[in-house]
Amino acid sequence: MKITRLETFGNPFVTFTRVTTEDGATGWGQLSTYNADITAEIFHRQVAPHVLGTDIDAMEDTLQRIYEKEHKFPGSYLRRAQTGFDTAVWDHRGRAQGKSVAELLGGSPGKVRAYASSMKRDITPKDEAARLCALRDRDGFTAFKWRVGAECGRGQDEWPGRTPEVIEVVSRALGDVDKLVDGNSCYAPKAAIEVGHRLQDHGIGHFEEPCPYWEYDQTAQVRAALTMDVAGGEQDCELSSWHLMIDRKSVDILQPDVMYMGGMTRTLMVCQMGAKAGLPITPHAANLSLVTICTAHLLRAIPNAGKYLEFSIEGLDYYPWQDGLFLGDPFAIRDGCMTVPDLPGWGVEINPEFLSTSTHRESLL
């Protein structure tokens, strides 16, 4: 069945995609968030020309063809644009077969344990502890992640003394739950190891992106010096980077982002690489757009799924563009779990009001 139309509906923050085949059947996907209007331009100029007229069942080969035809443009933006094609095709397949994407991948609908993921650094340790404890008590979360250091901070803290305080205050307040922290590429190895020992002393078991993420040898030094899990990979979108990360033994946990990677198909390649190396997959999913839904389906299907789904706890003060993206409540948390529904495709419906107020563009065969 040939692909005859590709559409985008969105704004600079989030843009959905729709693929239509010659029989009129459709599937919905999404470009990666952030500068999504730029990504939409790339989608129509550098993805659509290679997709229109191809067989939808040949999507995996078409993705490779895009890579080859656009070989002068490796990197993040092209992958973010490819995601819009990939995720729409998976939804199309699910709707056509009456199956969830999780089922198409060999898994099943059902619950996925989530960890409550804080995105904020401009918050006091006391206030961070209070809001995480409130989520623990209200929604039953049993795992939490918060931030240390400054983002790509060259060893600096968000403000002097915040990191040691937030480690101690939040850890003590949360009590006996799984605790994770994210350094967001802040530290050189020596400082990262010092912070890591402090984390271990407070019962924290997951240290994400301790060093600049592109410095695989630095992260490997940190991993070798600590007994806790070191995690990374959210920014990496080229398969060569994952080969290097695994070869250098940089991390204990791989964290691909479905939207940054170029979609589900290329993310599955990373999952397979991880399985071969004996490494679990705990993907990056830092907002409540389609990325979290796609990731939940993935975790219901792969054999080396990590312990939990990243679930952003930030509301409209942080992500105002999240408001009203979907009908219903696909992100409902019950007893610390999100549920992949027994519905075709991604199992969600995009809000018609969002679509009607979005910038619309189409590429036709």
Side-chain angles (χ1 to χ4, degrees), residues 165-185:
E165 184 181 359
V166 79
I167 291 170
E168 180 177 353
V169 169
V170 175
S171 296
R172 184 173 64 247
L174 284 174
D176 187 20
V177 297
D178 285 4
K179 306 179 185 77
L180 306 79
V181 301
D182 194 342
N184 288 117
S185 295

Side-chain angles (χ1 to χ4, degrees), residues 224-242:
L226 300 175
T227 58
M228 67 188 304
D229 288 333
V230 172
E234 69 179 67
Q235 314 294 352
D236 294 283
C237 64
E238 296 299 334
L239 296 176
S240 56
S241 298
W242 295 94

Side-chain angles (χ1 to χ4, degrees), residues 105-137:
L105 298 175
S108 64
K111 294 181 179 180
V112 183
R113 182 188 178 200
Y115 72 80
S117 184
S118 167
M119 305 294 154
K120 292 184 177 180
R121 282 184 165 84
D122 60 341
I123 185 170
T124 67
K126 181 180 177 181
D127 288 344
E128 185 73 294
R131 71 173 185 152
L132 295 184
C133 287
L135 289 169
R136 177 198 62 195
D137 299 340

Side-chain angles (χ1 to χ4, degrees), residues 247-291:
D247 181 66
R248 299 294 175 85
K249 302 186 185 303
S250 296
V251 297
D252 300 284
I253 298 170
L254 301 177
Q255 296 187 282
D257 183 302
V258 173
M259 296 287 155
Y260 299 171
M261 271 300 304
M264 186 65 75
T265 304
R266 297 182 82 251
T267 302
L268 286 168
M269 295 178 185
V270 174
C271 296
Q272 291 160 4
M273 292 164 61
K276 186 177 179 180
L279 298 176
I281 306 293
T282 301
H284 177 254
N287 59 75
L288 299 185
S289 68
L290 197 59
V291 62

Side-chain angles (χ1 to χ4, degrees), residues 202-219:
H202 286 82
I204 297 167
H206 170 119
F207 193 3
E208 186 170 326
E209 216 173 80
C211 300
Y213 73 85
W214 56 91
E215 297 288 359
Y216 303 111
D217 288 336
Q218 289 189 18
T219 306

